[in-house]
Amino acid sequence: MTVCDISQSIQVVTEVTKTQVVQGYAQVLQQSLGRTSSNSFDLAGLKLYTDLKAIEQSLARCLQQHQDPFLKLWYQTLTDILPNYQNPFVSIAMAQTWLDDIRSSLEVAPLPTKEAQGIGGDEVARQLGHILGGLYTIENLTPEINS
């Protein structure tokens, strides 16, 4: 095997690795964009935004190592689009914390059985009222929620 053969082998391996990186990013983007949630308390869009921000940062690091046209296009698209969604997703993140509070309040209340009646509907209503009352007292929630 000559030096030229070794150099060609290394080049082939490098191209295969580059292709695998591009395919990996394509798969991650596809999975992120197809995200859904069967739980009504989970806001899938919030996780989507977080995923896309992480992919954007990862693409930036990858492009420092190697300029690939696909990776560059995906990075540029994310950098152009994501800033437009930053403020709405701050609001969505705030709403997710409220939903988490409501969920935890409902999950703590066991369903009544013959042996144990549980805390009762009045107590659950009181806890939910406390959570929702806290939201009511916030003067300026967000532009998206106030409109």
Side-chain angles (χ1 to χ4, degrees):
M1 188 176 261
T2 67
V3 172
C4 186
D5 292 336
I6 293 171
S7 175
Q8 286 176 341
S9 295
I10 291 171
Q11 193 172 18
V12 168
V13 168
T14 303
E15 287 304 315
V16 168
T17 303
K18 289 176 188 176
T19 301
Q20 289 172 335
V21 168
V22 171
Q23 289 173 341
Y25 274 108
Q27 185 177 20
V28 168
L29 279 166
Q30 184 180 25
Q31 289 170 347
S32 292
L33 293 172
R35 178 183 302 283
T36 61
S37 177
S38 59
N39 185 337
S40 57
F41 284 109
D42 289 330
L43 302 176
L46 184 59
K47 182 67 174 147
L48 168 65
Y49 181 77
T50 304
D51 286 352
L52 291 177
K53 286 298 289 179
I55 292 168
E56 175 190 32
Q57 293 167 359
S58 179
L59 283 167
R61 290 189 302 273
C62 191
L63 286 168
Q64 289 174 350
Q65 302 296 318
H66 172 71
Q67 290 291 314
D68 177 88
F70 288 111
L71 300 182
K72 189 172 184 174
L73 174 65
W74 295 334
Y75 174 74
Q76 192 59 50
T77 301
L78 290 173
T79 353
D80 290 346
I81 292 173
L82 289 177
N84 298 326
Y85 293 95
Q86 184 173 355
N87 288 338
F89 275 95
V90 167
S91 301
I92 292 171
M94 187 182 306
Q96 182 67 61
T97 61
W98 302 333
L99 286 173
D100 291 342
D101 289 345
I102 292 168
R103 176 188 0 207
S104 64
S105 176
L106 293 174
E107 287 176 348
V108 172
L111 293 174
T113 63
K114 287 182 181 181
E115 295 79 30
Q117 290 187 339
I119 63 173
D122 289 343
E123 178 59 22
V124 172
R126 188 190 67 71
Q127 290 175 6
L128 287 175
H130 179 73
I131 293 167
L132 297 175
L135 298 179
Y136 181 75
T137 60
I138 299 173
E139 288 189 27
N140 187 12
L141 292 172
T142 66
E144 291 79 14
I145 295 173
N146 285 335
S147 48

